[in-house]
Amino acid sequence: MRVLVVGAGGVGSAAAGIACRRDFFTRLVVADYDLARATRVIDTVGDERFVAAQIDASNAEAVAALCRAHDITHVLNAVDPRFVMPVFEGARAAGADYLDMAMSLSHPHPDDPFQRTGVKLGDEQFAAAPAWAAAGRLALVGIGVEPGLSDIFARYAADHLFSRIDEVGIRDGGNLEVAGYEFAPSFSVWTTIEECLNPPVIYEKGRGWFTTEPLSEPEIFDFPGGIGPVECVHVEHEEVLLIPRWVDAGRVTFKYGLGREFIEVLRTLHKLGLDRTEPVQVGAARVSPRDVVAAVLPDPATLGDKMTGKTCAGTVVRGLGKDFKPREVYLYHLVDNDWSMREYGAQAVVWQTAVNPVIALELLASGKWHGTGVLGPEAFDPQPFLDKLVEYGSPWEMREQ
Amino acid sequence: MRVLVVGAGGVGSAAAGIACRRDFFTRLVVADYDLARATRVIDTVGDERFVAAQIDASNAEAVAALCRAHDITHVLNAVDPRFVMPVFEGARAAGADYLDMAMSLSHPHPDDPFQRTGVKLGDEQFAAAPAWAAAGRLALVGIGVEPGLSDIFARYAADHLFSRIDEVGIRDGGNLEVAGYEFAPSFSVWTTIEECLNPPVIYEKGRGWFTTEPLSEPEIFDFPGGIGPVECVHVEHEEVLLIPRWVDAGRVTFKYGLGREFIEVLRTLHKLGLDRTEPVQVGAARVSPRDVVAAVLPDPATLGDKMTGKTCAGTVVRGLGKDFKPREVYLYHLVDNDWSMREYGAQAVVWQTAVNPVIALELLASGKWHGTGVLGPEAFDPQPFLDKLVEYGSPWEMREQ
């Protein structure tokens, strides 16, 4: 297996740091728009199988050319979701398989954005599914932690725990704190604004996909591992689009444990128009308000050693158990920032995202996972994946509710 | 009387619109950095006593030169408080009397900003009081609505209603709403951030002036005129510095009825660092985050015809009445935006500020008010002022509490 990782940011560099301990590949190219950033990753890894390259991820032909230059068999997309489509198309043009951790972007319904879907997350990718299948190639989309591991939990529940699933609800939360800052998000604030202020999507059997108000239906979810209760709200996320395609479920939702404080910050930014991306005139300068918000906050990739606490990703499944009695479980995965910093030098959220595509690549390399077309993580047998997670030193858990 | 109004913004132009109905002056020069803006005010007023001029309010010599060129007897400062000192000094250099509606700016205590005062509001002006007195000239500082009318209410209570005053508490609130905007402040957001996020100052007899945390000690105050309950918090304001100099009071506070929503917005802006004035790098541009906040919000001076509701400024006085029995009153002044727009084409907050210095000028012109040195509004007999307010069609009221 010869892998191209596009993007040497937090997740791309953590994936390199995880992969270098495994032997399922012979070549791993880390490419970034900024060659120096890619080179720093290679220098840190210190593994002869790794090389650095420069790439413009917005250009599908450049992606294809780099694949051909290195005889790439698998492209792992680790850049901003704005670049999903050119990387996806470049991989297919070069005859490589493709993996990503976020799907092609949505566009709200033009007239009725908070009730009806417009262009949904991943729609552009699924439109290309016949072409991928015809070419005998695989695009495994949404194989981070959420989407990714959360989808695998849903499939595991369907295969091994339930006879009927009434609801699958992804619940993500943590108690990460950053010392020395009054407010410091642990993930890209630009992306967090994007996903949290888009109309959230919900799936119901018989009704299909529909949308609701951003940050709506707050609920307090009690997270395990000492995290405790966190306020969660509806957020647009890929699982809602992926799970119903392969798992028979009455309803699928995603709620993000932003906590009261972050929710208020997002509401305020939106109310003032500071979430907007269109530039405004400020004196002689023209700037995007959302870029100004990102500029005044600390860069989350640099905060790992100031962070403490845990992050939890997981899936609530409710329905009838194999014994046809009502059952509800929470399948989850915890990462303690102290552990991920000590073991991998990566902060918890970034590490928890990056480990999953590395495991998927290893399963594809071994042939335990295989397929063609555009598939989600829940299209595959969950057991070998969950076993690998334990083998990688980061076990998953389950709570009966 | 020959008046120079420095600043043709909201308050300066409203003052011109009010003054043109009065006959106490023979010349009124409206000066602005932007001559076109001053000219628009003159064109709207259509009164031969008015002329427009260009001025750089940051330059005391330019202020003095303009005073001399027009034989100015009284300068009314209606620009941003950053320019108080040059306008104040320019007026004195030219031998003119001076009025303003906000005093020279404070600087927090370098070590202990939320307990001890540093340089207080007006300190720079009061330092020049001997020079003004020696020259036989008057600087009447803080003669808008708050400070201004609120100070006059305190003096009125001391003269006519109370034998002992335990506490004077200014309470300002409204129910103004702007149609078509989710969030639209009715006053300069730059200035609101400045006054609300500085350490608020409190006065107590025996202890003197001290500071506390911004936005602290929230209380719900029930405003009259149908406004109802609004959450008020401590804010730095001139009354706390002025009233104890002339009125014997046990304690003086200022609480601003920002309301829950505005308080949350200010807290969030501060938490994220978006209140900062030092520029940050955003791509190729360098911008002040506070300027970006102002740029994304609508300009309050342009919102008058989209606004509805009332604004209320007033003074709570608590102590022993003339009969030595416990008494508490709220002396207040309400302006309905519909009325101020219909009568004067000025939005309520701006009009309520501008009427007071015009009345003060009229009382100085008639000799009913006179004095030398640097004096606050509470240094003068309140009765003729309050009578004029009624005569101007905008009566004040009192509520026993």
Side-chain angles (χ1 to χ4, degrees):
Chain A
M1 178 180 276
R2 299 173 65 87
V3 182
L4 166 62
V5 176
V6 182
V11 175
S13 52
I18 297 165
C20 71
R21 305 189 184 187
R22 314 298 298 184
D23 58 10
F24 62 83
F25 60 94
T26 53
R27 172 64 78 209
L28 196 151
V29 179
V30 177
D32 199 279
Y33 191 79
D34 176 2
L35 177 61
R37 200 155 81 140
T39 304
R40 275 198 300 276
V41 173
I42 302 311
D43 292 346
T44 307
V45 166
D47 179 326
E48 293 194 344
R49 296 175 298 169
F50 284 67
V51 293
Q54 199 277 340
I55 196 169
D56 175 1
S58 71
N59 182 341
E61 286 179 25
V63 174
L66 191 62
C67 287
R68 290 189 193 105
H70 291 273
D71 293 325
I72 294 300
T73 60
H74 292 76
V75 174
L76 170 55
N77 182 359
V79 285
D80 193 309
R82 281 179 287 188
F83 305 114
V84 159
M85 288 312 293
V87 178
F88 175 79
E89 285 168 354
R92 182 159 66 93
D97 286 355
Y98 167 90
L99 298 85
D100 65 29
M101 290 161 276
M103 286 152 47
S104 58
L105 292 174
S106 67
H107 302 285
H109 191 281
D111 308 317
D112 198 7
F114 303 129
Q115 297 200 55
R116 295 161 70 186
T117 58
V119 176
K120 302 187 297 300
L121 286 171
D123 274 1
E124 286 186 85
Q125 291 178 288
F126 280 112
W132 282 79
R137 296 262 61 87
L138 169 66
L140 168 46
V141 296
I143 183 70
V145 60
E146 282 177 343
L149 181 53
S150 49
D151 300 75
I152 291 165
F153 285 144
R155 171 69 187 267
Y156 178 83
D159 286 4
H160 298 288
L161 308 175
F162 286 81
S163 58
R164 189 186 84 195
I165 294 180
D166 296 322
E167 179 154 4
V168 174
I170 317 302
R171 297 292 182 272
D172 170 317
N175 62 356
L176 293 167
E177 291 198 356
V178 182
Y181 293 92
E182 235 190 314
F183 185 77
S186 55
F187 201 70
S188 156
V189 78
W190 199 101
T191 305
T192 306
I193 290 173
E194 177 72 16
E195 65 185 13
C196 292
L197 296 179
N198 274 342
V201 61
I202 296 173
Y203 172 83
E204 282 180 13
K205 196 187 282 190
R207 183 174 176 187
W209 287 291
F210 60 95
T211 56
T212 182
E213 296 279 342
L215 309 175
S216 55
E217 283 188 48
E219 70 171 58
I220 305 294
F221 188 79
D222 190 20
F223 286 93
I227 295 171
V230 179
E231 185 167 334
C232 298
V233 289
H234 279 302
V235 161
E236 179 191 53
H237 232 254
E238 287 87 344
E239 292 92 327
V240 180
L241 287 313
L242 289 172
I243 290 171
R245 286 180 156 94
W246 286 280
V247 174
D248 185 14
R251 180 180 160 93
V252 183
T253 62
F254 182 98
K255 284 188 175 176
Y256 195 4
L258 289 164
R260 180 105 297 263
E261 181 182 35
F262 209 139
I263 292 169
E264 280 308 318
V265 165
L266 289 171
R267 282 192 203 284
T268 301
L269 292 174
H270 181 62
K271 187 158 59 187
L272 273 61
L274 288 164
D275 60 323
R276 294 204 305 252
T277 53
E278 317 86 74
V280 294
Q281 195 74 36
V282 181
R286 279 183 73 76
V287 292
S288 145
R290 195 190 291 182
D291 289 344
V292 176
V293 174
V296 297
L297 292 173
D299 176 0
T302 67
L303 297 176
D305 55 0
K306 300 181 190 73
M307 275 167 60
T308 52
K310 293 175 183 169
T311 184
C312 182
T315 304
V316 173
V317 184
R318 189 172 52 74
L320 300 180
K322 291 293 185 192
D323 57 1
F324 301 101
K325 287 184 185 157
R327 187 177 192 186
E328 183 177 313
V329 300
Y330 182 52
L331 298 151
Y332 63 93
H333 183 247
L334 279 166
V335 177
D336 186 324
N337 190 71
D338 287 344
W339 177 86
S340 66
M341 285 302 294
R342 191 173 63 242
E343 287 287 319
Y344 286 91
Q347 57 109 308
V349 178
V350 149
W351 190 90
Q352 193 182 36
T353 305
V355 68
N356 298 287
V358 177
I359 292 176
L361 285 166
E362 183 163 341
L363 293 175
L364 293 168
S366 70
K368 281 189 183 159
W369 274 16
H370 53 84
T372 60
V374 178
L375 303 178
E378 53 282 270
F380 298 86
D381 181 2
Q383 194 66 59
F385 190 98
L386 295 174
D387 292 345
K388 278 282 170 203
L389 205 53
V390 177
E391 184 190 323
Y392 274 57
S394 185
W396 59 285
E397 296 173 73
M398 183 171 88
R399 179 174 75 186
E400 294 285 346
Q401 307 210 122
Chain B
M1 177 178 277
R2 298 172 66 85
V3 182
L4 166 62
V5 176
V6 182
V11 175
S13 52
I18 297 164
C20 70
R21 304 188 184 186
R22 314 299 299 184
D23 58 10
F24 63 83
F25 61 94
T26 55
R27 170 65 76 208
L28 196 151
V29 179
V30 177
D32 198 277
Y33 191 79
D34 176 2
L35 178 60
R37 200 156 81 141
T39 304
R40 275 198 299 276
V41 173
I42 302 311
D43 291 347
T44 307
V45 166
D47 179 328
E48 291 194 345
R49 297 174 296 169
F50 284 67
V51 294
Q54 199 278 339
I55 196 169
D56 176 0
S58 71
N59 182 341
E61 286 180 25
V63 174
L66 190 62
C67 288
R68 291 190 192 103
H70 290 274
D71 294 324
I72 294 301
T73 60
H74 292 76
V75 174
L76 170 56
N77 181 0
V79 284
D80 193 308
R82 280 179 287 187
F83 305 113
V84 159
M85 289 312 293
V87 178
F88 175 79
E89 285 167 355
R92 182 160 65 92
D97 287 356
Y98 168 90
L99 299 86
D100 66 29
M101 290 161 276
M103 286 153 47
S104 58
L105 292 175
S106 67
H107 302 284
H109 191 281
D111 308 318
D112 198 7
F114 304 127
Q115 298 200 54
R116 296 162 68 186
T117 59
V119 176
K120 301 186 298 302
L121 286 171
D123 274 1
E124 286 187 85
Q125 291 177 289
F126 280 112
W132 282 79
R137 295 262 61 87
L138 170 66
L140 169 46
V141 296
I143 183 69
V145 61
E146 282 176 342
L149 181 54
S150 49
D151 301 76
I152 290 165
F153 284 144
R155 171 70 187 266
Y156 178 84
D159 287 3
H160 299 289
L161 306 176
F162 286 81
S163 59
R164 188 186 85 195
I165 294 180
D166 296 321
E167 179 156 3
V168 174
I170 317 302
R171 297 294 181 272
D172 171 316
N175 63 355
L176 293 168
E177 291 196 356
V178 181
Y181 293 92
E182 238 191 309
F183 185 77
S186 55
F187 202 71
S188 155
V189 78
W190 199 101
T191 305
T192 307
I193 290 173
E194 177 72 16
E195 67 184 12
C196 292
L197 296 179
N198 274 341
V201 60
I202 296 173
Y203 173 84
E204 283 180 12
K205 195 188 280 192
R207 182 174 176 187
W209 287 290
F210 59 96
T211 56
T212 182
E213 296 279 342
L215 310 176
S216 55
E217 283 188 48
E219 70 172 59
I220 304 295
F221 188 79
D222 189 19
F223 286 94
I227 294 171
V230 180
E231 184 166 334
C232 297
V233 288
H234 280 302
V235 161
E236 179 191 52
H237 232 255
E238 287 87 344
E239 291 91 327
V240 180
L241 288 313
L242 289 172
I243 290 170
R245 286 181 156 94
W246 287 280
V247 174
D248 185 14
R251 179 180 162 94
V252 184
T253 62
F254 182 97
K255 284 189 176 176
Y256 196 5
L258 289 164
R260 183 104 294 263
E261 181 182 35
F262 209 139
I263 292 169
E264 281 308 317
V265 166
L266 289 169
R267 283 192 202 283
T268 301
L269 291 175
H270 181 63
K271 184 158 60 186
L272 273 61
L274 288 165
D275 60 322
R276 295 204 306 252
T277 54
E278 316 86 74
V280 294
Q281 194 75 35
V282 181
R286 280 185 72 77
V287 293
S288 145
R290 196 190 290 183
D291 289 344
V292 176
V293 174
V296 297
L297 292 173
D299 176 359
T302 66
L303 297 177
D305 54 1
K306 299 180 191 73
M307 276 167 60
T308 52
K310 293 175 182 169
T311 183
C312 181
T315 304
V316 174
V317 185
R318 189 172 51 73
L320 300 179
K322 290 294 184 193
D323 58 2
F324 299 100
K325 289 184 184 155
R327 188 178 192 186
E328 182 177 313
V329 300
Y330 181 53
L331 299 151
Y332 63 92
H333 183 246
L334 278 167
V335 177
D336 186 324
N337 189 72
D338 286 346
W339 177 86
S340 66
M341 284 302 293
R342 193 174 61 241
E343 287 288 318
Y344 287 91
Q347 57 108 306
V349 178
V350 149
W351 190 89
Q352 193 182 35
T353 305
V355 67
N356 298 288
V358 178
I359 292 175
L361 285 166
E362 184 164 339
L363 293 174
L364 292 168
S366 70
K368 283 189 183 160
W369 274 15
H370 53 84
T372 59
V374 177
L375 303 178
E378 53 282 270
F380 298 87
D381 181 2
Q383 194 65 60
F385 190 98
L386 295 174
D387 292 345
K388 278 283 172 203
L389 204 53
V390 177
E391 185 191 323
Y392 274 57
S394 185
W396 59 285
E397 296 172 73
M398 183 171 87
R399 178 176 76 185
E400 294 284 346
Q401 309 209 119

